[in-house]
Amino acid sequence: MSQLHVTNLHAHYGQSHVLQGVNFDVRAGSITTILGRNGSGRSTTLKAMMGIVSPTEGSVRFDDTELAGLSPTRISRFGIAYVPEDRQVFPNLSVGENLLVGVQKARPDTPVWTIADMYQHFPRLKERRDQVAATLSGGEQQMLTICRSLLGNPKVLLVDEPTEGLAPQIVAQVRDVLVEIRNRGVTIILVEQRLTMALQIADSVLVMGHGQIVYSGSVVEFRKDTTVRKRWLEVA
């Protein structure tokens, strides 16, 4: 059953027409990965869904609610959370204080996450719970950003390039946590440059090119379609 419906979504940065009619559906409780070359519109799609970039046309429907045109704060109240690529931690707060900022009340029919859960999945954060976030490594800040978003008990998690610049061990941790998030019923839309990792955990694949969805299918179908990969993903 589809939970999110993106229809004819357009977005601009000034005069630059970045999203040019994006269309896709996302099934509840699944991981959908959005692939594409740099500049194809993947990150902007997430930002437009979250209200960080205001769509100039089109619809983003979550269940029976229209999200397009709402502020990020209002969108978050419907159970949508966003993990940004640039790891927006509160630099002068400790790890524990950063996590407390993210804590929200439980939502009906939605998995509940606690700070204890976060420390269990990422023991390094527990070790550094009194440390100021600005002094964490890039990987630790990414862990912290994911955890803070989860503490809002979201129904849908939009994740933008969570493994960029991370060591292989941390990539594996992030991968495993994303799988558990999905297994607990949270829908994930993942923008990820590491193709192998994305295909390991995704249920469905979207490929973007020139601000549009140029391919939609299952992981199995995508693996068989070498033409799509060569045309839209490989670097000439």
Side-chain angles (χ1 to χ4, degrees), residues 1-5 59-68 70 78 155:
M1 180 179 179
S2 294
Q3 183 180 37
L4 275 161
H5 308 270
S59 171
V60 180
R61 292 196 66 81
F62 172 55
D63 293 331
D64 295 323
T65 302
E66 179 58 62
L67 302 181
L70 301 182
F78 289 106
K155 297 179 179 179

Side-chain angles (χ1 to χ4, degrees), residues 76-221:
S76 69
R77 290 174 183 158
F78 289 106
I80 314 293
Y82 173 65
V83 180
E85 179 183 2
D86 53 358
R87 302 164 189 168
Q88 295 173 5
V89 299
F90 295 101
N92 297 323
L93 298 182
S94 69
V95 167
E97 289 168 338
N98 266 272
L99 293 177
L100 282 172
V101 168
V103 174
Q104 294 186 28
K105 294 180 180 179
R107 305 175 189 275
D109 303 318
T110 304
V112 176
W113 302 84
T114 67
I115 291 178
D117 291 332
M118 303 302 101
Y119 287 154
Q120 179 182 350
H121 289 301
F122 295 112
R124 193 172 301 182
L125 291 183
K126 184 175 182 179
E127 295 170 5
R128 290 161 171 72
R129 59 186 178 272
D130 297 322
Q131 187 171 324
V132 174
T135 63
L136 299 178
S137 69
E140 291 163 347
Q141 289 187 9
Q142 185 61 280
M143 294 178 198
L144 183 56
T145 305
I146 292 172
C147 291
R148 192 181 63 202
S149 297
L150 277 180
L151 289 168
N153 302 316
K155 297 179 179 179
V156 176
L157 193 63
L158 310 178
V159 190
D160 194 3
E161 296 282 12
T163 68
E164 185 175 7
L166 302 188
Q169 181 181 359
I170 306 302
V171 171
Q173 284 184 284
V174 171
R175 178 199 64 207
D176 292 346
V177 169
L178 291 175
V179 169
E180 178 167 349
I181 294 168
R182 186 268 314 278
N183 290 346
R184 289 181 62 175
V186 179
T187 304
I188 298 175
I189 303 178
L190 170 68
V191 169
E192 176 55 53
Q193 198 68 31
R194 294 176 188 256
L195 184 61
T196 300
M197 193 279 269
L199 296 182
Q200 282 177 342
I201 65 174
D203 300 292
S204 59
V205 176
L206 302 172
V207 179
M208 291 198 71
H210 307 312
Q212 297 179 328
I213 300 296
V214 296
Y215 175 87
S216 175
S218 69
V219 172
V220 173
E221 292 167 340

